[in-house]
Amino acid sequence: MSILVYTENREGIFKKATFELLSYAKEMAKTLNTNVVALSIGQVENSELEKLGNYGATKVLNTQGNNLSFLDNKLFSKIVTTAVEKEGAQIIIMANNISGKALSPRVSASLKAGLVTGVVGLPSSYEPFVIKKLVFTSKAFSNVKVNSALKVLTFAQNSFGVAEPINAVAHVETFNPQINDVPVKNRLIETNRITGKLLLTDAEIVVSGGRGLKSAENFSLLEELAGVLGAATACSRPVSDEGWRPHSEHVGQTGKIIAPVLYIACGISGAIQHVGGISSSKFIVAINNDKDAPIFEIADYGIVGDFKTVLPEMIAAIKEIKAG
Amino acid sequence: MKILVCISDVPDTTTKIKFKDNNTTLDVNGIQWIINPWDELALTRALELKEASGGIIQSVTVANVGTVASEPTIRKALAVGADNAIRIDAQPKDAYYVAAQLANIVKAESYDIVLVGRDSADYNGSAVGGMLAELIDYNSLSSVSSLNIENGKIRINREIDGGTETIEAELPFLAIVQKGISKEPRIPAMRGIMMARTKPLNVVQAVAVEILTEDVSFEMPQPKGSCKKFDSENVKTLVSLLHNEAKLI
Ligand SMILES: Cc1cc2nc3c(=O)[nH]c(=O)nc-3n(C[C@H](O)[C@H](O)[C@H](O)COP(=O)(O)OP(=O)(O)OC[C@H]3O[C@@H](n4cnc5c(N)ncnc54)[C@H](O)[C@@H]3O)c2cc1C
Ligand SMILES: Nc1ncnc2c1ncn2[C@@H]1O[C@H](COP(=O)(O)O)[C@@H](O)[C@H]1O
């Protein structure tokens, strides 16, 4: 028995979210007295793969190949299920992100393994296996019991934290499953990467703007605040609908669901569909000129005022702190 | 060509969620039920594709796994423009159960394109689409934000971690769709509502499927403590609080 973790790389590099995923799996493995095996698909240097040992992976299965440069659901899930069988894994863990959501259901159906997506902590019990997840667009939690012997979980980022790295080198093993019989029916035409920007999914701090900012131009103030804080930028739905900001920044029920340490909402009213995407943030700071705006009901700190005066003052005060 | 859109019947997004029976069951009292927002957009896109196809796409079918209580939602989908509907008569148990029911429908009718939403606004499984694709052995793509048909091939855009990709896919094909798939959901017009009454809504029996997961109890999140509010004169005080007390910056 073991726990298999699908460790996704971005252009050959593992991100913090992957280390958290492994830390989480390691904690579960301790209780179950078993090992964590990582599965990496695509081109990654050995030295980078070995690093996964620092976060609890004892072994890394390394699958590389020409047709693995973009995510093909069928092919990748076949690799995962083959690895599960090879390792005799009972629990399969992935990130609750784009690729985890793409692969976990296929893996689950293929193995008849009960799937719980977006889990927010360790199981409350192992026998029976019960684990908590967010439901009803983050308005409630459900404790889900998994009846099957094999289990697939997708883990909600930032709900566990990265463990202190240990000094251990994971054993890297080449893994070439038989996948020639899986016909690839997708052809990659073009990739557009967001460059030179901190991604929402990597950020500890997120500064977000709503319709209250009034225009695309006014977002330069928010960009500046993000700059001094080392934060990523986000927005409410109407802002991306208006084209003031790219769709990739839209958070909420119909956009991204995020859980940064600090979320700063500026000119956002706090509609229930928006809150659904940010309510798991550790701290929320709201800036709004309406003292009764619903966003203050879920905020830890608030400033009642016009963003035009508040943001420049905030930027100046933070600069002062950062300058020591 | 035939398109199938899987629709789930969910509480309106503004619903206040309550539980009963010692927090083991959703209290459906007073809930307004709607077509899951993604499914509504998927249906809209399916209808646009059909209209632009010059007869190549013959029909758009909607399928729902649900009890008779979801029929108003199914009728709404018919009123929006779906040609016919299938209801698999069962209370959805978990994603695998739903996917297995839908798989039977697809196997019987061999749809060329199957559209499923990113997640449903109730249990937020993000699971039915991928499971269905696996069970019917279809090629699938997730996070699909646009979909076109060109010379018998599908061309989609999808979101990836940190960007987007354009991909060409072969039929048959299952797309798990999200924001962008169509701009605004179509709303039923009076004529559509009249016609919906006479469109076929076939009710089929569910098959027995193992229950892999169960919701054993629900919890509400801890209520937030009260917000510490400052006026715009005291921005600096707040910033130093964030720095010294909360250690956030
Ligand atoms: C099915 C469905 C799904 C949805 N999904 C999402 C989603 O995923 N994400 C999302 O965000 N929304 C979503 N919405 C929309 C949501 O209901 C709200 O309409 C939206 O969140 C409002 O955006 P906003 O707060 O930016 O704008 P508004 O509600 O217009 O709020 C603007 C705020 O700015 C404040 N303000 C104005 N001027 C200033 C100033 N000078 N200085 C400071 N503050 C100022 C105002 O007091 C107000 O509170 C969804 C809606 C539906 C029906
Ligand atoms: N009971 C159901 N009947 C038909 N389709 C469903 C049902 N439940 C979920 N789906 C489809 O699966 C998608 C994702 O739902 P879920 O996996 O439950 O988050 C939805 O957007 C629907 O397209």
Side-chain angles (χ1 to χ4, degrees), chain B residues 19-39:
Chain B
F19 300 101
K20 59 176 191 182
D21 303 337
N22 208 6
N23 285 329
T24 56
T25 336
L26 176 70
D27 183 354
V28 296
N29 217 330
I31 290 183
Q32 283 274 13
W33 297 88
I34 58 164
I35 308 179
N36 190 39
W38 303 124
D39 309 348

Side-chain angles (χ1 to χ4, degrees), chain A:
Chain A
M1 194 222 154
S2 63
I3 297 180
L4 185 83
V5 179
Y6 171 57
T7 48
E8 187 189 12
N9 69 83
R10 192 186 303 140
E11 297 179 90
I13 304 292
F14 293 115
K15 297 285 171 180
K16 200 185 132 217
T18 299
F19 304 144
E20 186 190 16
L21 193 62
L22 284 170
S23 309
Y24 170 76
K26 178 69 193 171
E27 195 60 33
M28 207 183 284
K30 265 193 217 154
T31 310
L32 293 170
N33 207 0
T34 182
N35 290 332
V36 174
V37 178
L39 170 66
S40 168
I41 305 176
Q43 197 67 42
V44 186
E45 295 294 328
N46 252 40
S47 56
E48 184 72 11
L49 293 168
E50 285 172 352
K51 268 195 213 161
L52 298 180
N54 295 341
Y55 300 93
T58 41
K59 178 156 78 174
V60 182
L61 302 178
N62 177 22
T63 305
Q64 310 202 337
N66 296 332
N67 51 0
L68 302 175
S69 56
F70 71 100
L71 175 69
D72 183 274
N73 291 353
K74 205 169 160 180
L75 187 66
F76 276 48
S77 38
K78 177 75 184 176
I79 297 172
V80 177
T81 53
T82 313
V84 169
E85 279 153 17
K86 173 182 174 301
E87 294 296 323
Q90 297 263 329
I91 300 178
I92 302 107
I93 308 181
M94 307 188 190
N96 190 42
N97 62 8
I98 290 175
S99 39
K101 283 182 191 169
L103 299 178
S104 59
R106 286 202 83 125
V107 169
S108 156
S110 162
L111 299 171
K112 263 204 170 189
L115 168 67
V116 190
T117 55
V119 301
V120 291
L122 291 163
S124 57
S125 135
Y126 285 86
E127 286 290 340
F129 192 92
V130 180
I131 195 158
K132 191 153 125 175
K133 68 161 294 191
L134 280 164
V135 288
F136 295 102
T137 56
S138 308
K139 287 176 210 157
F141 295 103
S142 171
N143 294 300
V144 184
K145 178 157 84 74
V146 185
N147 298 327
S148 51
L150 296 190
K151 298 158 183 83
V152 183
L153 309 173
T154 70
F155 167 81
Q157 196 182 333
N158 292 340
S159 56
F160 186 76
V162 182
E164 196 60 41
I166 51 171
N167 218 337
V169 176
H171 170 67
V172 178
E173 183 181 306
T174 304
F175 176 56
N176 289 322
Q178 272 301 326
I179 45 171
N180 296 338
D181 56 335
V182 183
V184 174
K185 299 202 167 152
N186 299 321
R187 206 159 61 84
L188 179 65
I189 309 287
E190 192 181 15
T191 306
N192 277 306
R193 287 198 179 275
I194 302 166
T195 49
K197 280 208 66 171
L198 181 62
L199 295 181
L200 259 177
T201 39
D202 292 340
E204 306 253 308
I205 305 180
V206 172
V207 296
S208 186
R211 195 149 51 188
L213 260 60
K214 308 259 181 0
S215 71
E217 291 70 44
N218 286 334
F219 273 80
S220 60
L221 273 173
L222 212 64
E223 292 266 9
E224 198 182 339
L225 177 63
V228 293
L229 285 171
T233 47
C235 66
S236 66
R237 183 169 96 169
V239 167
S240 63
D241 285 352
E242 289 288 337
W244 297 351
R245 301 298 293 176
H247 288 298
S248 57
E249 292 194 359
H250 160 195
V251 294
Q253 185 191 328
T254 47
K256 287 200 174 62
I257 295 175
I258 56 170
V261 177
L262 175 60
Y263 182 77
I264 304 181
C266 186
I268 293 177
S269 58
I272 196 152
Q273 300 93 348
H274 184 82
V275 171
I278 55 126
S279 59
S280 299
S281 307
K282 293 248 154 47
F283 286 91
I284 297 173
V285 174
I287 303 164
N288 200 303
N289 64 359
D290 170 7
K291 68 170 176 27
D292 298 320
I295 189 79
F296 289 122
E297 285 160 30
I298 59 141
D300 302 276
Y301 300 97
I303 302 175
V304 183
D306 191 312
F307 75 90
K308 280 207 166 120
T309 46
V310 174
L311 287 181
E313 282 192 43
M314 230 172 150
I315 292 163
I318 294 164
K319 274 188 180 158
E320 215 170 282
I321 288 174
K322 298 266 168 181

Side-chain angles (χ1 to χ4, degrees), chain B residues 80-91:
Chain B
V80 169
D83 298 294
N84 52 64
I86 302 168
R87 179 171 69 81
I88 300 117
D89 188 24
Q91 181 70 42

